[in-house]
Amino acid sequence: MKIKKSIRKASSLLLLAFSVFKASFAQDIRPLSEINSPYNESHAVRSPLGELYFSVGYHPENTGGTTDSGDIWMSQPISNGKWSKPARIKPLSTPGNDVVVGFTGPSNILIYHDGQQMPQGIHMYSKNGNNWRYEKKLNIPDFKNQSSHFSGRLAADGKSIIMSLQKDGGEGNEDIYITFKKSETEWTTPLNLGPIINTFGQEQTPYLTNDNNTLYFSSNFKANGRGKDIYYAQRRDESWKNWSQPKELSTANTIGSESNYAKIFDDEDLALFTTTSNSEGMGDFMVIAFEKLVLSEEDSVVSPEDFIALNQDQQELPISDSLKQEIVSSVPDSISGPPAIEKRVESRKEEVKTVETETVVKREIAEETKVVNIDPANDKKVNREEELNFVQIRDQRNKKPIDYRITIADDVEKKVLKNQDEMQQEWEKWNWNYIEVSAKGYIPNSLTVEEWQHLKDKTLQMVQARAGARKVLSNIQFIRGTADLADARSIQELDLLVDFMKENEQVKIRLEGHTDNAGDPELNKELSLSRASKIRAYMTLKGIDFERIRITGWGGSKPIADNATEQGREINRRVEMYIDR
């Protein structure tokens, strides 16, 4: 009876906490400010007592410190719609990736561990008073996750777990699977949801509605210039492989990367999800009105014949004629759904307009800092018997000539020159191949001889080192998959940045690391941050104040080119420098 009273008390408190939300949220997106931190919040699950249990990655208090991709944290609802300061749950956390899967009762929780300390899999813990105690590991045959990412949720009826993992025989990277409960610790082999849901990309953070008929999940299969978007689809029959064509949510998707969408507040029509749009590459929790699936006759629905063709090559046994007929009979002739979702409130429209405006501004800045303007009509190789072009060095904004310095270099040696006449003389003496142009108050440029000779209108435009100016550090290369510098040219480029910072002592910069979207997103984020950190470490060793350089790792969440092509992926693997002054 004490437990039931506690549940009623906690539920009342939670209802009070969220009654403040209901009127104000509507279709608007609001952050869960008391819980969000500079670190990576993800995968929240509500306990029967009303608390939020969730993962926080890269927090310095995590078991594995700032390289730990997820410890378990908890926050409790308090008065006036607020939440308590999150606390790390040490007994549920390991140095690896830990994810809350669900609660089987008020005092029983399921946690995924990635295998770094506990065996890989889903484990059961029980709570005695305020202390969590380990019980046992669920027996799920053929549970082998080849990715460092895992997401999964216990269904509302407790009879299945929908989850995302990467294993042999899947459609691509992480796919969505379902396993069914046979007993408290015995579960079935994970069943792949098939090619309507799963693609060559990454399908992650699945959530099933309470009736087990509608699936919400995140995916990057479109390679649409953003990170992941949230989709939903409806189950057509009992096979778990026949679904309506997935549709994007109309409200939650932004310019960031979205995931972990779930209606975890059953007493309010609200959903919680994670986005990177408002943070430096890390996930924040957002609350929004829950978006229900809307199907129309125009929606692309997979026909019974197409469904059979898509899945036939995945069946362990041939599909019999009777089974084909059963599948055909199970698909309705027409589909109807709930009424259309209400339009977003005006504040949300204004928010979208603001995002669009900011995107335009960013594009303008990107154009301004595209300082090496190569003439595409002139791509011939340089003949060293020809004279070097005399290039005008001008301010990018006002087009006026500026005072500058010239440095020439090969892979070993550098030489500072007084002017371009000296550069012509040196051209005839030794086989140097790089040109550095510097000016006080301007972002420096480093060009190959070929780029110099093919500058459009024989003009190099220099960008002022003002707040918001951006430069892609394309000459700094890393060994693939590591944060190790690849060549001598990279060191020369770093030295050029060091000289720039020493000459412009008032300037502060932000280094942002980026990757393509291939592979595990958490590893990509870690790699991008490590590369930015490597550059900062080099510059501080050369005498630049640590506080003048901020770093961020975005992983693959902010592409500037199409990840569907190798050329696009190469462009997306970059480090950018922003003037923060």
Side-chain angles (χ1 to χ4, degrees):
M1 293 299 293
K2 288 183 178 179
I3 291 177
K4 290 184 178 179
K5 288 181 180 179
S6 298
I7 293 174
R8 283 199 297 269
K9 181 178 179 182
S11 298
S12 299
L13 187 57
L14 184 70
L15 188 60
L16 175 63
F18 276 93
S19 63
V20 179
F21 284 169
K22 190 170 185 179
S24 61
F25 273 87
Q27 297 289 341
D28 203 6
I29 297 177
R30 300 289 178 86
L32 213 55
S33 301
E34 297 85 9
I35 294 179
N36 292 335
S37 73
Y39 309 103
N40 193 54
E41 282 80 34
S42 66
H43 213 282
V45 174
R46 176 187 167 188
S47 78
L49 298 179
E51 310 110 328
L52 281 186
Y53 283 73
F54 52 95
S55 297
V56 179
Y58 314 110
H59 196 291
E61 295 180 19
N62 280 2
T63 307
T66 55
T67 61
D68 187 332
S69 57
D71 269 13
I72 306 302
W73 292 63
M74 185 270 287
S75 177
Q76 296 176 316
I78 54 180
S79 60
N80 299 323
K82 302 295 185 181
W83 291 86
S84 66
K85 180 180 179 181
R88 186 173 71 93
I89 310 300
K90 183 178 179 180
L92 303 180
S93 302
T94 72
N97 187 29
D98 308 310
V99 179
V100 182
V101 176
F103 287 82
T104 59
S107 301
N108 297 96
I109 191 171
L110 298 179
I111 303 289
Y112 168 83
H113 298 307
D114 70 356
Q116 292 195 37
Q117 180 172 298
M118 303 289 290
Q120 186 190 75
I122 299 174
H123 299 256
M124 180 183 294
Y125 292 79
S126 64
K127 192 174 186 180
N128 184 10
N130 293 323
N131 300 316
W132 286 101
R133 180 181 63 191
Y134 180 76
E135 294 291 342
K136 60 192 75 175
K137 178 176 178 284
L138 300 189
N139 182 22
I140 305 176
D142 197 30
F143 185 101
K144 298 175 182 177
N145 186 14
Q146 298 171 359
S147 170
S148 62
H149 169 88
F150 174 86
S151 48
R153 292 181 183 274
L154 181 69
D157 60 10
K159 296 179 180 179
S160 63
I161 297 174
I162 191 84
M163 56 190 173
S164 169
L165 50 89
Q166 182 176 355
K167 55 184 299 190
D168 292 337
E171 298 293 332
N173 291 288
E174 292 89 346
D175 282 354
I176 297 177
Y177 294 79
I178 190 166
T179 178
F180 299 97
K181 183 178 181 180
K182 298 167 67 176
S183 66
E184 183 180 37
T185 58
E186 296 293 324
W187 294 70
T188 63
T189 300
L191 173 70
N192 190 299
L193 297 194
I196 299 174
I197 297 296
N198 295 317
T199 71
F200 61 88
Q202 296 169 305
E203 280 69 49
Q204 298 177 347
T205 63
Y207 160 73
L208 274 174
T209 52
N210 289 355
D211 60 5
N212 290 333
N213 285 331
T214 305
L215 173 70
Y216 293 76
F217 63 99
S218 60
S219 177
N220 59 3
F221 81 96
K222 279 192 173 181
N224 57 2
R226 299 201 297 261
K228 296 181 183 67
D229 283 337
I230 300 169
Y231 296 82
Y232 55 173
Q234 189 174 66
R235 188 159 62 101
R236 295 296 185 207
D237 55 32
E238 298 303 314
S239 72
W240 289 94
K241 290 197 173 188
N242 189 11
W243 298 83
S244 66
Q245 200 67 25
K247 295 178 59 178
E248 294 179 59
L249 291 190
S250 62
T251 53
N253 293 322
T254 72
I255 59 173
S257 186
E258 277 70 47
S259 60
N260 296 290
Y261 188 92
K263 184 183 178 183
I264 61 176
F265 310 122
D266 288 335
D267 43 12
E268 299 286 345
D269 201 21
L270 298 172
L272 189 71
F273 71 100
T274 300
T275 180
T276 64
S277 64
N278 296 328
S279 63
E280 296 187 338
M282 301 294 182
D284 281 340
F285 285 136
M286 299 287 170
V287 180
I288 191 172
F290 181 67
E291 185 171 335
K292 298 177 182 177
L293 179 65
V294 177
L295 293 175
S296 65
E297 293 183 2
E298 288 76 22
D299 285 329
S300 176
V301 178
V302 179
S303 69
E305 293 78 13
D306 289 342
F307 168 69
I308 293 170
L310 282 168
N311 287 278
Q312 190 163 10
D313 60 352
Q314 295 194 7
Q315 302 294 326
E316 295 181 1
L317 297 174
I319 299 179
S320 65
D321 291 339
S322 60
L323 179 57
K324 289 181 182 179
Q325 183 58 43
E326 181 181 343
I327 294 172
V328 170
S329 302
S330 68
V331 180
D333 295 330
S334 62
I335 299 167
S336 60
I341 298 174
E342 298 177 1
K343 294 182 179 179
R344 306 180 197 183
V345 294
E346 289 302 315
S347 61
R348 176 59 179 154
K349 291 180 180 178
E350 291 301 317
E351 181 179 313
V352 172
K353 289 179 182 178
T354 302
V355 169
E356 290 174 349
T357 302
E358 290 175 351
T359 303
V360 171
V361 171
K362 288 179 180 178
R363 286 174 181 166
E364 289 175 352
I365 291 175
E367 288 301 317
E368 286 181 358
T369 55
K370 191 178 179 182
V371 292
V372 181
N373 191 8
I374 307 299
D375 186 350
N378 188 358
D379 59 354
K380 296 183 299 182
K381 291 291 183 180
V382 172
N383 183 353
R384 295 193 73 89
E385 295 181 359
E386 297 177 356
E387 290 190 356
L388 281 173
N389 289 338
F390 184 87
V391 171
Q392 300 181 69
I393 313 297
R394 296 182 178 273
D395 184 293
Q396 191 272 339
R397 294 178 68 83
N398 60 32
K399 311 305 180 187
K400 294 181 179 180
I402 62 174
D403 294 329
Y404 62 91
R405 297 182 306 281
I406 289 278
T407 302
I408 57 175
D410 58 15
D411 289 335
V412 178
E413 183 181 354
K414 275 189 175 186
K415 188 171 184 178
V416 180
L417 307 177
K418 294 179 180 179
N419 50 49
Q420 292 189 45
D421 290 333
E422 284 193 2
M423 188 168 70
Q424 180 64 53
Q425 295 172 13
E426 295 294 330
W427 177 244
E428 300 167 358
K429 293 180 181 179
W430 56 291
N431 198 29
W432 51 270
N433 44 16
Y434 305 125
I435 303 169
E436 296 175 356
V437 182
S438 304
K440 185 175 176 60
Y442 290 84
I443 297 175
N445 273 289
S446 178
L447 300 82
T448 64
V449 171
E450 286 78 9
E451 289 170 339
W452 178 272
Q453 289 295 85
H454 298 154
L455 283 169
K456 189 174 182 180
D457 299 327
K458 297 182 180 179
T459 301
L460 178 63
Q461 299 181 10
M462 301 286 285
V463 175
Q464 293 181 20
R466 58 188 179 88
R470 162 186 171 270
K471 177 182 174 67
V472 177
L473 304 179
S474 56
N475 293 327
I476 298 179
Q477 299 293 317
F478 296 90
I479 297 173
R480 191 174 183 87
T482 76
D484 297 327
L485 295 168
D487 52 27
R489 179 85 189 277
S490 299
I491 299 296
Q492 289 180 348
E493 185 77 4
L494 286 174
D495 289 337
L496 184 62
L497 291 180
V498 169
D499 292 341
F500 162 72
M501 295 290 283
K502 287 181 177 179
E503 184 176 24
N504 299 275
E505 295 181 352
Q506 79 285 3
V507 168
K508 294 183 179 180
I509 63 173
R510 182 174 76 256
L511 300 172
E512 297 192 352
H514 301 267
T515 67
D516 58 29
N517 69 344
D520 181 78
E522 297 298 337
L523 291 179
N524 284 343
K525 185 179 294 183
E526 181 180 340
L527 177 61
S528 63
L529 184 63
S530 296
R531 288 176 171 176
S533 179
K534 173 74 78 171
I535 294 175
R536 179 170 66 178
Y538 182 91
M539 296 177 72
T540 54
L541 285 173
K542 292 288 186 175
I544 306 303
D545 186 358
F546 181 89
E547 298 299 325
R548 294 176 62 194
I549 309 170
R550 294 173 57 208
I551 62 171
T552 301
W554 291 97
S557 64
K558 288 196 170 186
I560 57 175
D562 189 352
N563 272 311
T565 68
E566 178 54 38
Q567 182 182 13
R569 290 190 291 272
E570 183 177 352
I571 293 172
N572 288 331
R573 297 191 290 265
R574 69 201 187 277
V575 176
E576 297 179 355
M577 180 184 75
Y578 287 84
I579 304 298
D580 260 359
R581 179 173 60 175

